[in-house]
Amino acid sequence: MADDFAPDSEPPSPRPRSLWLATTPTTDYDPLEGDLEVDVAVVGGGITGLTAAIELQEAGKTVVVLESDRIVESTTGHTTAKLTSQHGLIYDTLVSKFGRKRAGQYARANEAAIDAVERRVEEHGIDCDFRRTPAYTYAASSDDVSTVSEEVETAQRLGLPAEYVEETPLPFETNGAVRFDEQAEFHPRKYLLAIAEQIHEDDGDSAVFEETRAVDIDPGEPCRVETERGAVVADDVVVATHFPVFDRAGYFSRMHPHRAYLLAVRVDEEPPEGMYYNTASPPATIRTQPAEPADDTDEPEELVLVGGQSHKPSVSGPPTSERYRRCERFAREHFSVESIEYRWSTMDYSPVDKVPFIGQIDPLAEHVYVGTGFKGWGMSGGTAAGMILADLIVDGANPWADVFDPQRFTPKASAKSFLEENAKVGGSFVGDRIKSFLASLGADGSDIPDPGEGGIVRRTGRPMGVYRDEEGSVHAVSAVCPHMGCLVRWNDAERTWDCPCHGSRFTHEGNVLSGPALEGLPYRKL
């Protein structure tokens, strides 16, 4: 995507709002009240947690889902929503670093995830816009054509539905692409809200609890999940939060966050069939989604989802509002855009060896399991994780589990990335503190003069995050992330405080939006 936006260009519009959240009702499940005993406690109400829960329930287990806020509103509610085994150009790398057998496990798990969603949609009559469609990763330049061709050959050897094509249905020229047939797209909240209803109402023994934050897990026999509203005793626990809330195994050092941005636009042309990703850096992503008509006609319409600008929060770069503008420019350069209906961003975690962590959470927690690190492909990855974790709990084994084992040792695949990513986090930790010493704040917050602006300043020897709202009130929080002490940064487009080291996010009043942080930022109004 182009990087040459004018620095004084207008902020993007509309205000951030996920298409998936805007077109579905808000849930209202009760919080936990007191202690409870079940077979399995699932911590996290996204696609991984809900898939694991419904699989376990269907296997005869009693299950509770514990969600700190509202289900399917965090990462799963801000996805691109592609159900695909095509994760960029991944398979040639997997074969070279893990071998053909484990690369095949990765491929089969993600293909099975697509089939599982389709089966559940058909069996339960879930209206979630599910449809099979091809997925393309196209070469952004002629230099990438040979890499694309190699990916096709490797994917075919693994039994994937891969084909090299010279052209795509996109309304602009590409340089060749790998196409996977029989992939899928859907509306993730419509699908998962239906799943949650089945879990909660099926037999009365299983339940979904919202506004119930897990604060600790005792991995004993039985396990005990401590929440702010009581404890859940269970034979097994699934940790399906975006970042593991129980991290004795050092996941913070084995995967890094990255943020990407999406627009949903109306176009004055026939939208292209299929899902798209390219080899640019940062890559662009495109797909379509059925939408309500813009006028009183009954003619069906399609929105085009266009996004990209993926970056690591620990790396300095343009503000969030600028990244949205770059997405908008890409959309307008490649499509006849009539309007921008929605925009939102998503945070994902990428393991240093590029493979998610699915299985026993650490060597000393035999009955605690984790699914995390889907590197932007959480719809298929999270579904596969839920299936794998359910099998491990019920049967003790799963045919795809080896490649995803969280206790794997992969120096060939991860050593270089491990050192680079942790060096960046360390640099951010030190550099931000040096910068904070250079900042100052007047007693009345006068150094942040404009409504909607925020920044890190230093007052009475401590770094503070300060934001002035549209009414002129100044809000101050501690700028130190409670997870591991990094300094948060202001997100000007979404008006949040974001941790560049490990991806925690907070409201302008310091409340936790997403972990790994479990505690908020101390707040006061100046």
Side-chain angles (χ1 to χ4, degrees):
M1 292 188 182
D3 289 347
D4 55 349
F5 272 81
D8 59 348
S9 56
E10 289 297 316
S13 61
R15 291 288 298 274
R17 179 67 167 162
S18 159
L19 164 65
W20 318 122
L21 293 173
T23 54
T24 48
T26 301
T27 54
D28 190 25
Y29 291 102
D30 292 333
L32 177 68
E33 294 183 3
D35 296 350
L36 189 66
E37 292 188 18
V38 290
D39 293 332
V40 185
V42 175
V43 183
I47 193 165
T48 303
L50 292 172
T51 301
I54 193 67
E55 293 275 344
L56 288 162
Q57 186 186 56
E58 291 175 347
K61 300 287 186 180
T62 57
V63 186
V64 296
V65 176
L66 306 172
E67 169 56 46
S68 62
D69 192 6
R70 298 293 176 190
I71 60 169
V72 204
E73 284 198 359
S74 185
T75 305
T76 303
H78 291 80
T79 176
T80 315
K82 296 178 178 179
L83 274 166
T84 177
S85 60
Q86 185 192 86
H87 300 166
L89 304 182
I90 185 68
Y91 290 103
D92 199 53
T93 299
L94 289 179
V95 169
S96 66
K97 292 185 176 181
F98 288 86
R100 181 172 176 176
K101 176 182 177 181
R102 294 196 173 183
Q105 291 174 334
Y106 183 103
R108 288 189 293 276
N110 283 279
E111 280 286 296
I114 306 170
D115 293 341
V117 172
E118 182 176 40
R119 172 183 54 80
R120 200 173 296 281
V121 167
E122 292 176 350
E123 286 182 359
H124 298 282
I126 302 173
D127 181 9
C128 63
D129 306 323
F130 179 93
R131 57 189 178 188
R132 290 281 187 167
T133 191
Y136 300 82
T137 295
Y138 65 90
S141 73
S142 57
D143 293 338
D144 296 330
V145 171
S146 61
T147 306
V148 170
S149 297
E150 291 169 1
E151 179 74 2
V152 172
E153 294 174 4
T154 302
Q156 288 175 339
R157 287 197 296 270
L158 294 173
L160 287 162
E163 179 183 357
Y164 180 81
V165 294
E166 295 284 351
E167 298 179 348
T168 74
L170 289 169
F172 53 89
E173 185 176 348
T174 60
N175 294 281
V178 50
R179 184 180 74 197
F180 279 25
D181 289 325
E182 288 298 298
Q183 307 300 288
E185 55 192 14
F186 71 145
H187 191 304
R189 269 183 62 86
K190 289 181 179 179
Y191 170 73
L192 289 167
L193 295 185
I195 298 300
E197 288 182 7
Q198 294 175 39
I199 296 166
H200 192 77
E201 299 177 357
D202 189 37
D203 56 18
D205 294 328
S206 298
V208 174
F209 294 110
E210 296 184 322
E211 296 184 333
T212 304
R213 183 180 298 277
V215 296
D216 196 15
I217 300 173
D218 178 0
E221 294 186 11
C223 303
R224 184 180 178 90
V225 180
E226 297 287 349
T227 81
E228 297 173 337
R229 297 177 177 273
V232 176
V233 176
D235 295 332
D236 298 283
V237 176
V238 171
V239 178
T241 52
H242 192 31
F243 186 98
V245 296
F246 180 68
D247 186 14
R248 298 190 312 191
Y251 287 92
F252 71 87
S253 67
R254 293 195 285 156
M255 59 184 188
H256 60 272
H258 58 93
R259 180 169 293 284
Y261 305 83
L262 285 162
L263 306 175
V265 304
R266 293 190 188 273
V267 297
D268 185 21
E269 60 189 302
E270 185 70 24
E273 179 191 6
M275 304 180 292
Y276 301 87
Y277 194 74
N278 70 10
T279 61
S281 182
T285 182
I286 301 167
R287 60 155 289 199
T288 58
Q289 171 63 28
E292 294 295 326
D295 50 36
D296 294 332
T297 67
D298 293 328
E299 290 295 322
E301 286 197 290
E302 296 270 335
L303 295 178
V304 179
L305 277 55
V306 182
Q309 283 298 306
S310 176
H311 68 99
K312 298 168 185 174
S314 59
V315 177
S316 297
T320 302
S321 57
E322 180 70 4
R323 296 187 186 276
Y324 276 119
R325 294 187 192 103
R326 294 175 182 180
C327 288
E328 181 175 343
R329 177 165 183 174
F330 179 89
R332 294 188 183 280
E333 286 180 345
H334 293 86
F335 297 95
S336 300
V337 175
E338 288 187 337
S339 63
I340 299 174
E341 300 296 316
Y342 306 97
R343 66 181 174 98
W344 67 98
S345 70
T346 183
M347 178 78 79
D348 294 296
Y349 285 91
S350 293
V352 291
D353 63 6
K354 311 303 181 186
V355 174
F357 298 112
I358 306 169
Q360 186 175 319
I361 195 168
D362 70 51
L364 301 179
E366 183 178 353
H367 295 282
V368 181
Y369 300 84
V370 70
T372 189
F374 301 114
K375 61 186 190 306
W377 303 102
M379 297 300 95
S380 55
T383 300
M387 298 164 67
I388 292 169
L389 296 176
D391 281 353
L392 293 177
I393 291 171
V394 175
D395 301 323
N398 174 276
W400 317 310
D402 289 350
V403 68
F404 302 106
D405 184 359
Q407 300 172 54
R408 64 185 180 263
F409 179 63
T410 56
K412 179 180 178 181
S414 61
K416 180 179 178 182
S417 180
F418 177 89
L419 294 173
E420 289 177 348
E421 294 305 326
N422 284 282
K424 289 173 184 175
V425 169
S428 178
F429 183 91
V430 174
D432 283 353
R433 274 163 171 72
I434 293 174
K435 292 176 184 177
S436 78
F437 274 103
L438 305 178
S440 63
L441 175 67
D444 60 353
S446 58
D447 286 1
I448 301 182
D450 297 326
E453 288 189 1
I456 302 297
V457 298
R458 197 166 189 88
R459 192 179 188 194
T460 63
R462 298 177 181 179
M464 297 174 61
V466 181
Y467 162 66
R468 186 189 294 274
D469 63 27
E470 287 81 353
E471 287 72 37
S473 297
V474 177
H475 306 264
V477 298
S478 168
V480 180
C481 178
H483 175 231
M484 292 193 68
C486 294
L487 294 190
V488 296
R489 296 177 183 174
W490 180 244
N491 178 331
D492 69 327
E494 292 159 351
R495 300 185 182 182
T496 59
W497 295 106
D498 300 351
C499 177
C501 294
H502 305 111
S504 296
R505 300 188 69 204
F506 309 86
T507 68
H508 72 269
E509 294 182 340
N511 298 318
V512 177
L513 286 172
S514 61
L518 295 176
E519 301 175 4
L521 305 172
Y523 164 81
R524 61 173 169 155
K525 195 171 182 178
L526 298 181

